């Protein structure tokens, strides 16, 4: 990737410590609290945004595609507005608001030869179904801790547990047993409200608060809001999603949240290139219209749950695969919004067979998972012991090539 020419110009602040004025670069950048970073392009199109949050210290310039990795745990940049002349002609200034404190002596020069940091791969996981099955509202088909153990044994390291929300009322002991097994295995688990609905924000906040009161307090135990909401108004979805996140945090819930979106949460519908003033038909468009240009979580613990099936219409109703993967492109499109991505549902075979069209596409699918930036994890669809002969059934068979592949082996 191209880089701006690096330099450091020391500037005295009112504080006794020293701060720097440095250009944003494509790659690692040493910064401290109070430093001013400048860019020839705005980080986002809406330059009036007051504060930008860089997920995991990675700041993405939506105008250039460059990714700056801030040192010292810095994640927040305060926009100081455009400038003309001076250090960068027609530049944009941002002040580092957190991270390591400013040094009392000038920092060492920043070198363009710094290596990029090593990024660990995503968590390979699986949906363990049963709790979402029709006419099973009393939790009689919920998976068991033994089911989680079996999938852990073959290599899965994250679980998404779809269920009916009523089970937080009538099956709390079973849900607690599952959550405690996740904690024992040190494996993230997403308890996901598999409803396809999109209730009013106040009701969704109440549901999250209820779930939070049932599940044990652990960063491993996460919550997925409405699965694939059958909701047509993209702009309203984004406004509602922001209201839900704000309400949940105001209620004191701190666990990680995952958001599905309209259009079956499809990867192909994440960014269709549509932008204001037109009515939105994608997540990227609707979030970009929000006052902060994204969904803001003060705890930075809200992510986007993206689904991808590989048949011709992406519906997951056929075992045949089309020629398009559309995974890494969706994850790249999500990076500027500062929210991690979970591929919450994907499938292209079963524990016994993979059709020829999908076998041909499988290497590209798994490679795009590896190539996806900002990816927290992937959870294969079709786990659970009660699927019968379902075309995407994924039983924990250690010798199955499909199981081996989807555990990242």
């Amino acid at each position: 990737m191209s880089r701006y020419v690096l330099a450091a110009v020391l500037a005295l602040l009112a504080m006794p410590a020293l701060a720097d004025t440095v250009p944003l670069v494509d790659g690692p950048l040493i910064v401290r609290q109070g430093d001013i970073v400048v860019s020839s392009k705005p980080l986002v199109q809406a330059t009036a945004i007051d504060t930008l949050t860089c997920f995991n210290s990675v700041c993405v310039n939506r105008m250039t595609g460059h990714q700056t990795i801030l040192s010292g745990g810095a994640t927040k940049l305060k926009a100081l507005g455009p400038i003309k002349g001076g250090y960068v002609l027609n530049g944009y200034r941002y002040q580092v608001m957190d991270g390591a404190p400013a040094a009392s002596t000038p920092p060492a020069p920043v070198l363009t030869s710094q290596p990029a940091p090593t990024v660990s791969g995503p968590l390979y996981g699986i949906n363990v179904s049963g709790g979402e099955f029709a006419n099973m509202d009393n939790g009689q088909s919920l998976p068991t801790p033994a089911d989680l153990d079996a999938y852990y044994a073959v290599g899965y390291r994250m679980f998404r547990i779809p269920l009916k929300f009523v089970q937080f009322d009538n099956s709390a002991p079973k849900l607690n047993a599952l959550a405690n097994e996740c904690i024992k295995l040190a494996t993230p688990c997403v308890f996901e409200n598999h409803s396809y609905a999109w209730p009013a924000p106040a009701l969704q906040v109440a549901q999250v608060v209820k779930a939070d009161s049932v599940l044990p307090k652990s960063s491993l135990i996460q919550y997925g809001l409405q699965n694939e909401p059958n909701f047509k108004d993209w702009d309203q979805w984004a406004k509602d999603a922001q209201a839900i996140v704000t309400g949940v945090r105001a209620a004191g819930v701190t666990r990680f949240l995952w958001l599905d979106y309209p259009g079956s949460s499809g990867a192909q519908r994440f960014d269709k290139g549509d932008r204001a003033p037109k009515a939105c038909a994608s997540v990227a468009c609707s979030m970009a219209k929000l006052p902060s240009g994204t969904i803001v979580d003060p705890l930075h613990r809200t992510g986007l749950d993206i689904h991808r099936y590989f048949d011709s219409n992406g519906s997951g109703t056929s075992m045949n695969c089309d020629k398009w993967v559309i995974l890494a492109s969706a994850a790249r499109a999500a990076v500027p919004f500062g929210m991690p991505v979970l591929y919450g549902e994907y499938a292209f075979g079963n524990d016994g067979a993979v059709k020829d069209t999908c076998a041909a596409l499988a290497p590209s699918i798994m490679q795009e998972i590896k190539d996806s930036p900002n990816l927290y994890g992937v959870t294969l669809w079709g786990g659970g012991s009660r699927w019968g002969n379902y075309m995407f059934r994924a039983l924990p068979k250690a010798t199955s090539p499909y199981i081996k592949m989807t555990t990242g082996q």
Side-chain angles (χ1 to χ4, degrees):
M1 294 184 180
S2 63
R3 298 182 184 272
Y4 296 110
V5 177
L6 289 177
V9 179
L10 294 175
L12 287 173
L13 298 179
M15 300 167 55
L18 291 171
D20 285 337
T21 299
V22 295
L24 283 174
V25 299
D26 187 14
L29 180 64
I30 295 175
V31 293
R32 294 169 175 81
Q33 270 189 59
D35 284 356
I36 307 296
V37 293
V38 293
S39 172
S40 61
K41 298 286 187 180
L43 288 179
V44 294
Q45 290 174 320
T47 57
I49 294 174
D50 291 330
T51 304
L52 307 173
T53 298
C54 305
F55 179 74
N56 282 349
S57 298
V58 179
C59 301
V60 179
N61 190 320
R62 293 188 66 186
M63 305 300 288
T64 66
H66 294 158
Q67 296 188 26
T68 300
I69 304 160
L70 302 179
S71 68
T75 61
K76 293 184 182 299
L77 297 177
K78 180 179 181 180
L80 302 180
I83 56 175
K84 292 188 177 182
Y87 192 72
V88 178
L89 183 64
N90 297 322
Y92 293 82
R93 301 184 301 156
Y94 302 87
Q95 186 169 32
V96 180
M97 302 302 292
D98 61 358
S104 57
T105 57
V110 182
L111 303 176
T112 58
S113 59
Q114 287 182 352
T118 301
V119 179
S120 59
L123 293 166
Y124 289 88
I126 191 166
N127 285 266
V128 188
S129 285
E132 81 279 27
F133 287 179
N135 303 316
M136 298 291 177
D137 291 356
N138 291 324
Q140 58 267 53
S141 290
L142 277 167
T144 67
D147 291 324
L148 302 187
D149 291 345
Y151 283 105
Y152 186 91
V154 298
Y156 292 107
R157 292 297 181 265
M158 181 176 184
F159 300 121
R160 184 172 181 260
I161 302 174
L163 49 80
K164 300 285 187 68
F165 186 82
V166 68
Q167 290 160 359
F168 284 104
D169 288 315
N170 62 33
S171 303
K174 291 182 178 180
L175 298 182
N176 261 285
L178 286 169
N180 284 320
E181 193 66 16
C182 296
I183 294 170
K184 175 184 172 183
L185 296 172
T187 302
C189 286
V190 181
F191 287 79
E192 185 257 347
N193 187 358
H194 209 80
S195 73
Y196 302 93
W198 190 249
L203 177 54
Q204 295 200 52
V205 170
Q207 289 179 332
V208 177
V209 171
K210 170 66 177 181
D212 186 67
S213 71
V214 169
L215 297 171
K217 299 296 188 287
S218 168
S219 60
L220 292 169
I221 308 305
Q222 306 172 7
Y223 185 78
L225 283 90
Q226 315 295 327
N227 178 71
E228 298 183 355
N230 185 16
F231 191 69
K232 307 300 183 185
D233 189 332
W234 290 86
D235 290 349
Q236 190 60 50
W237 170 85
K239 295 173 185 176
D240 287 355
Q242 179 63 81
I244 293 163
V245 172
T246 300
V248 165
R249 298 310 181 209
V253 178
T254 61
R255 66 180 79 244
F256 212 103
L257 306 174
W258 293 101
L259 285 166
D260 283 28
Y261 51 85
S264 299
S265 219
Q268 66 274 28
R269 297 181 179 94
F270 189 89
D271 189 353
K272 300 174 73 173
D274 51 332
R275 291 295 184 270
K278 295 181 178 179
C280 289
S282 72
V283 183
C285 175
S286 62
M287 291 198 303
K289 282 186 178 181
L290 293 171
S292 294
T294 187
I295 295 169
V296 176
D297 179 350
L299 301 183
H300 314 298
R301 295 177 186 169
T302 297
L304 297 161
D305 186 336
I306 296 176
H307 299 178
R308 180 65 176 133
Y309 294 92
F310 302 96
D311 47 351
S312 59
N313 62 2
S315 64
T317 56
S318 169
M319 286 190 70
N320 290 306
C321 289
D322 202 3
K323 60 182 179 179
W324 307 111
V325 177
I326 319 177
L327 282 175
S329 59
R332 283 193 293 268
V335 168
F337 297 98
M339 301 170 70
V341 165
L342 168 68
Y343 296 149
E345 292 185 21
Y346 78 107
F348 54 92
N350 61 49
D351 56 73
V354 177
K355 285 216 168 186
D356 289 347
T357 54
C358 295
L361 193 65
S364 295
I365 293 171
M366 302 314 296
Q367 187 60 49
E368 287 211 14
I369 288 173
K370 293 178 181 178
D371 292 343
S372 295
N374 206 28
L375 182 61
Y376 183 95
V378 295
T379 47
L380 183 74
W381 181 253
S385 60
R386 297 171 175 83
W387 279 114
N389 293 320
Y390 176 51
M391 63 181 173
F392 291 135
R393 182 197 65 193
L395 294 175
K397 297 179 178 179
T399 58
S400 164
Y402 184 64
I403 298 302
K404 288 182 178 180
M405 188 182 309
T406 56
T407 53
Q409 298 178 42

